[in-house]
Amino acid sequence: VFSKIFSHEALESYLPKIQLVIKDTLRAWSSDPEPVNVYHEAQKLTFRMAIRVLLGFRIPDEELGRLFEVYQQFVENVFSLPVDLPFSGYRRGIRARETLQKGLEKAIQEKLQNTQGKDYADALDMLIESGKEHGKELTMQELKDGTLELIFAAYATTASASTSLIMQLLKHPRVLEKLREELRSKGILHNGCICEGSLRLDNISGLQYLDCVIKEVLRLFTPISGGYRTVLQTFELDGFQIPKGWSVMYSIRDTHDTAPVFKDVDVFDPDRFGQGRSEDKDGRFHYLPFGGGVRTCLGKHLAKLFLKALAIELASTSRFELATRTFPRITLVPVVHPVDGLKVKFFGLDSNQNEILTGTDAMLGATV
């Protein structure tokens, strides 16, 4: 069912809605006279994308904001000691989940009652329909659990990668300009505007340098450290016997840092994935930001599409500058993100690429 949710056809139908959510968000960032906390706002953006696009909920903005705050409290307490005491993280997480599920149940019921005006099948539609195809009407609890799982999958890791993308574009203006050149050469960007109807899935897939940039962001700043697997059959690795039934953790970051195929591993270099070098093509499992094998992340194509759509909008319709003297330190837990959230001032651009200054004519932030 979930593979159908992330199929090529499904991604094609999601794309216009993803673009709309990103455009609205960047417009709001550009109209804010104060610097934006990118990581926090990226969390809001990915949450909104999951609610509006994946699930097709028509929740008013004010209510959506309240639901986001509850969801954050839930996420912050997911990894808590299971001690059910007043004021414990576990108790706060349970309460947040209960409040969240009440809000989701209301949204699901409204969605089931209002089927008019739909121009695409979202993930929740497919989940409901697949249940019927298999002769099983999904219960409300199953729908709430599936909904929460989809939001969780689309939230933290994509927000982390989005923040890393913006930070690297700030650090490497030549990469940003090279992205713009590719968009112009492919007929997507003209006179500072994205050409009408140019952003289709096949067009985005043909942007080779953009693909390299996203791959390099995910190599150098993989959102999560690794994953777990259960040993199905006793095997030997480097002289050590790993028994059947044991849990094994694999490290994505250590793999990317030590894989012999990557040259100058600490350098942000999108060209390493270009046709001339193709460093990720040498050997198996040297590059695995989404895991590897049969249990690789099902949502990886949606995540990459979202990041590409964000990069295109950033390169086409925004100018942005670091609002602190230096770039922040990066922390690795719970996912990779800047410790201060990355403070950035965004400036919108009109059709002639002229700055639309908001709040003040003074240039806020450091020049990069």
Side-chain angles (χ1 to χ4, degrees):
V1 174
F2 277 94
S3 63
K4 188 186 295 185
I5 286 170
F6 300 118
S7 67
H8 184 279
E9 294 75 15
L11 295 181
E12 188 80 73
S13 69
Y14 300 155
L15 181 56
K17 278 72 181 175
I18 291 173
Q19 287 177 257
L20 187 60
V21 170
I22 292 173
K23 279 179 182 290
D24 287 346
T25 298
L26 290 182
R27 193 178 296 117
W29 292 0
S30 299
S31 64
D32 193 335
E34 297 299 320
V36 168
N37 182 319
V38 172
Y39 181 56
H40 182 68
E41 293 300 321
Q43 289 175 316
K44 286 184 181 179
L45 169 58
T46 53
F47 182 78
R48 194 178 299 117
M49 189 271 290
I51 292 290
R52 298 262 196 252
V53 181
L54 269 185
L55 301 172
F57 291 155
R58 300 172 183 178
I59 301 175
D61 287 341
E62 189 175 338
E63 190 177 337
L64 186 64
R66 287 196 297 268
L67 203 61
F68 171 73
E69 297 302 327
V70 174
Y71 184 76
Q72 270 207 312
Q73 191 173 37
F74 165 70
V75 170
E76 286 167 5
N77 292 288
V78 163
F79 299 104
S80 298
L81 289 174
V83 179
D84 193 8
L85 294 174
F87 311 113
S88 68
Y90 181 79
R91 179 74 65 86
R92 286 196 299 272
I94 292 293
R95 285 176 177 167
R97 187 185 67 182
E98 290 171 352
T99 304
L100 192 61
Q101 291 204 337
K102 285 179 184 176
L104 292 175
E105 183 169 345
K106 179 186 173 187
I108 292 169
Q109 286 175 339
E110 289 175 355
K111 181 184 175 72
L112 294 174
Q113 291 166 6
N114 184 10
T115 57
Q116 302 301 315
K118 286 282 293 182
D119 58 350
Y120 77 109
D122 56 55
L124 190 55
D125 291 331
M126 294 182 201
L127 199 60
I128 294 168
E129 192 58 38
S130 70
K132 292 178 181 177
E133 287 175 3
H134 292 86
K136 183 182 184 300
E137 195 84 25
L138 296 177
T139 66
M140 178 56 72
Q141 188 59 48
E142 287 171 329
L143 288 174
K144 287 190 292 186
D145 288 342
T147 297
L148 194 54
E149 187 172 353
L150 281 168
I151 298 172
F152 194 82
Y155 175 71
T157 52
T158 312
S160 167
S162 299
T163 306
S164 298
L165 169 66
I166 292 171
M167 186 164 71
Q168 292 314 298
L169 293 179
L170 278 168
K171 281 187 173 183
H172 304 279
R174 290 182 183 177
V175 170
L176 183 58
E177 185 51 40
K178 194 169 177 180
L179 269 180
R180 289 184 177 128
E181 288 173 8
E182 182 175 53
L183 294 175
R184 293 186 196 106
S185 68
K186 297 292 185 179
I188 292 174
L189 183 62
H190 181 66
N191 287 338
C193 291
I194 296 177
C195 299
E196 187 76 26
S198 62
L199 282 189
R200 298 186 306 276
L201 199 57
D202 55 343
N203 289 0
I204 293 178
S205 300
L207 297 171
Q208 295 181 357
Y209 187 68
L210 174 60
D211 189 58
C212 292
V213 171
I214 301 305
K215 280 183 175 179
E216 182 67 342
V217 167
L218 294 172
R219 181 195 69 84
L220 199 54
F221 299 97
T222 305
I224 58 172
S225 60
Y228 293 92
R229 294 291 183 268
T230 299
V231 179
L232 300 179
Q233 182 176 324
T234 300
F235 69 99
E236 191 172 292
L237 179 66
D238 288 343
F240 293 92
Q241 191 177 74
I242 315 298
K244 177 182 178 180
W246 276 33
S247 290
V248 175
M249 179 181 176
Y250 66 93
S251 174
I252 295 173
R253 290 196 193 109
D254 289 340
T255 300
H256 288 179
D257 287 345
T258 61
V261 298
F262 297 125
K263 314 303 178 189
D264 301 319
V265 293
D266 295 327
V267 177
F268 182 76
D269 179 15
D271 289 318
R272 73 172 73 247
F273 295 108
Q275 290 183 342
R277 291 163 64 183
S278 301
E279 291 182 7
D280 60 322
K281 297 295 191 295
D282 296 329
R284 298 179 68 210
F285 303 131
H286 291 311
Y287 180 73
L288 60 165
F290 297 100
V294 294
R295 294 196 178 275
T296 188
C297 175
L298 279 173
K300 66 180 181 180
H301 296 300
L302 175 63
K304 289 176 72 173
L305 178 62
F306 179 86
L307 293 171
K308 288 179 180 182
L310 176 60
I312 289 170
E313 289 295 334
L314 287 167
S316 305
T317 62
S318 292
R319 191 172 70 76
F320 42 102
E321 295 185 348
L322 189 67
T324 53
R325 291 186 178 278
T326 58
F327 283 96
R329 184 171 55 85
I330 300 294
T331 182
L332 305 180
V333 292
V335 295
V336 169
H337 68 278
V339 290
D340 75 343
L342 187 64
K343 306 292 178 57
V344 175
K345 182 69 184 81
F346 285 81
F347 301 90
L349 298 173
D350 64 18
S351 59
N352 295 315
Q353 291 287 288
N354 296 318
E355 296 165 14
I356 303 172
L357 297 181
T358 55
T360 175
D361 288 340
M363 297 297 291
L364 298 178
T367 302
V368 180

